[in-house]
Amino acid sequence: MAKTTLKIEPVPAAERKPKPQDETSLGFGRIYSDHMFSAEWSEPKGWHNARVSKYGPIAMAPAALVLHYGQTVFEGLKAYRAAGGDINLFRPDKNIERLNNSARRLDMPPLEPELVSAAFEALLELDHEWVPRSQGASLYIRPTMIATEPYIGLKSSSTFLFFIITGPVGAYYPEGFNPVRIRVEERYSRAGPGGLGSVKTAANYAASLLAEKEAKKKGFTQVLWLDAAHRKYVEEVGSMNILFKIGERVITPPLGGTILPGVTRDSVIQLLKSWDVPVEERQLSIAEVIEAHAAGTLEEVFGCGTAAVIAPVGMLDYQGQGYQVREGKTGPLAQRLFDELIGIQYGRLPDRFRWLVRLQPGQKNASTPTVRTLAV
Ligand code: COI
């Protein structure tokens, strides 16, 4: 069986970009490291031409199918700097699994998990200096697959490009870990039954842009989506999953196909169960949330996601009325989850669920071009 080779083409030292000096003002998603990974797919070769090379523009035909019909999937995960200098990847296996589930739904070719893992390792080996050293900052990793065949008719592409870019990031929301204001969206829908809601694909995010712009104009950070069929049940925020603490119980919408199966969501549920906090994955109507608020039992609302980690919600707006949660302050459960998650991610707390993949970069000579043969 032919083995995949991975070409490593380090950017010469003189051409490397300056790294941000101030890690407290990184923002999110605007700075990119020196290298990127890419691989191509076509029949009968499958995935080939895997390489790590200089971060730069992608040449593509204007007729490339991704540009017209959105055949694309992506992922988001983070690498964290531990105290001793090691780099921790948080549950990369879950992202690779979801990437392949997304690819299958979009009729795109899945990737060998070993190839993606090797790509992460090679990128972090070369760009380890880009992983921030401050608490609250990390290196965001964005794997993406796009349809590249030039064709104006509607069909699945016969060629694909998979690439991974990375960049140092700080907090996703301008609020940082301070509570955000969320508007319950009543006019637009994000995803319907049988659609793409559980898939990390551009269409879901494109569908959310106008609603988010309108919400932002009114002073809200994001919108909370209701189910498209009934406009009754809460679903997700678009950039994160959502959880409600009502009395002693934490309730979060189930993975019914219309919400994203978040890696942080799964981690939060595991943590809550390990602390004997009752968790229910069930449909929750917005009416039940409002009733709980009126009864004084809506104790906490918070979102969770890779980019946002844990985002407490201080205010929910529904039908033009504002409902303050915990007087707009962060609740103890959201705080505990945030502390535990980032404690594990930065290697300060025991990795009791074996979520981390630990890398020790800087071991290999990162300035010489090499070719690695992978076991796939
Ligand atoms: C993530 O949380 O990693 C995402 O992909 C959400 C995106 C809106 C930044």
Side-chain angles (χ1 to χ4, degrees), residues 217-327:
K217 264 193 214 150
K218 294 205 154 67
F220 300 99
T221 316
Q222 292 260 303
V223 301
L224 171 61
W225 297 101
L226 297 178
D227 76 289
H230 312 95
R231 294 275 158 77
K232 185 174 170 189
Y233 300 106
V234 298
E235 296 238 299
E236 63 160 73
V237 174
S239 51
M240 53 185 189
N241 294 114
I242 188 91
L243 298 97
F244 297 80
K245 182 162 186 277
I246 299 183
E248 289 309 303
R249 314 186 81 76
V250 175
I251 306 162
T252 193
L255 301 179
T258 54
I259 69 167
L260 196 77
V263 177
T264 314
R265 175 189 180 278
D266 180 79
S267 312
V268 161
I269 291 173
Q270 287 193 51
L271 284 173
L272 291 173
K273 287 186 175 164
S274 76
W275 296 334
D276 292 327
V277 176
V279 193
E280 295 174 13
E281 291 178 69
R282 66 159 170 92
Q283 284 191 316
L284 174 68
S285 67
I286 187 66
E288 190 179 336
V289 174
I290 302 302
E291 275 161 31
H293 185 273
T297 55
L298 184 63
E299 296 194 356
E300 292 189 42
V301 182
F302 49 89
C304 67
T306 297
V309 192
I310 299 288
V313 176
M315 156 78 84
L316 272 177
D317 181 271
Y318 179 52
Q319 295 184 330
Q321 190 171 333
Y323 297 87
Q324 214 182 33
V325 186
R326 269 208 109 76
E327 297 175 340

Side-chain angles (χ1 to χ4, degrees), residues 28 74-77 140 142 172 200 205 238-240 305-308:
F28 191 95
F74 68 94
E75 269 305 320
L77 67 157
Y140 191 77
R142 170 52 62 86
Y172 182 66
K200 211 156 169 66
Y205 297 82
S239 51
M240 53 185 189
T306 297

Side-chain angles (χ1 to χ4, degrees), residues 62-245:
L65 280 160
V66 63
L67 300 177
H68 304 271
Y69 310 115
Q71 197 181 17
T72 177
V73 294
F74 68 94
E75 269 305 320
L77 67 157
K78 283 177 175 168
Y80 301 84
R81 174 80 64 183
D86 286 3
I87 292 173
N88 293 335
L89 277 173
F90 186 70
R91 308 190 75 184
D93 51 320
K94 296 291 284 179
N95 292 92
I96 298 172
E97 184 187 313
R98 190 173 61 184
L99 176 72
N100 278 339
N101 289 340
S102 299
R104 282 185 204 98
R105 177 64 181 85
L106 271 283
D107 196 23
M108 302 171 89
L111 289 133
E112 292 289 351
E114 292 80 357
L115 174 62
V116 186
S117 298
F120 291 156
E121 279 175 36
L123 270 177
L124 285 164
E125 181 65 38
L126 281 178
D127 281 338
H128 64 93
E129 288 296 345
W130 285 88
V131 181
R133 291 178 186 272
S134 346
Q135 169 82 42
S138 55
L139 189 83
Y140 191 77
I141 304 175
R142 170 52 62 86
T144 307
M145 195 193 298
I146 58 172
T148 48
E149 182 183 344
Y151 183 59
I152 291 294
L154 180 59
K155 74 171 195 82
S156 279
S157 184
S158 62
T159 57
F160 296 91
L161 175 72
F162 175 63
F163 63 87
I164 307 174
I165 54 174
T166 72
V169 297
Y172 182 66
Y173 293 123
E175 290 89 340
F177 182 59
N178 295 319
V180 293
R181 292 158 57 88
I182 301 281
R183 182 192 196 191
V184 181
E185 178 56 50
E186 294 163 74
R187 184 161 169 215
Y188 306 109
S189 299
R190 173 183 172 273
L196 298 175
S198 63
V199 176
K200 211 156 169 66
T201 187
N204 289 327
Y205 297 82
S208 74
L209 295 174
L210 184 59
E212 273 168 27
K213 189 185 227 174
E214 289 179 7
K216 275 194 184 126
K217 264 193 214 150
K218 294 205 154 67
F220 300 99
T221 316
Q222 292 260 303
V223 301
L224 171 61
W225 297 101
L226 297 178
D227 76 289
H230 312 95
R231 294 275 158 77
K232 185 174 170 189
Y233 300 106
V234 298
E235 296 238 299
E236 63 160 73
V237 174
S239 51
M240 53 185 189
N241 294 114
I242 188 91
L243 298 97
F244 297 80
K245 182 162 186 277

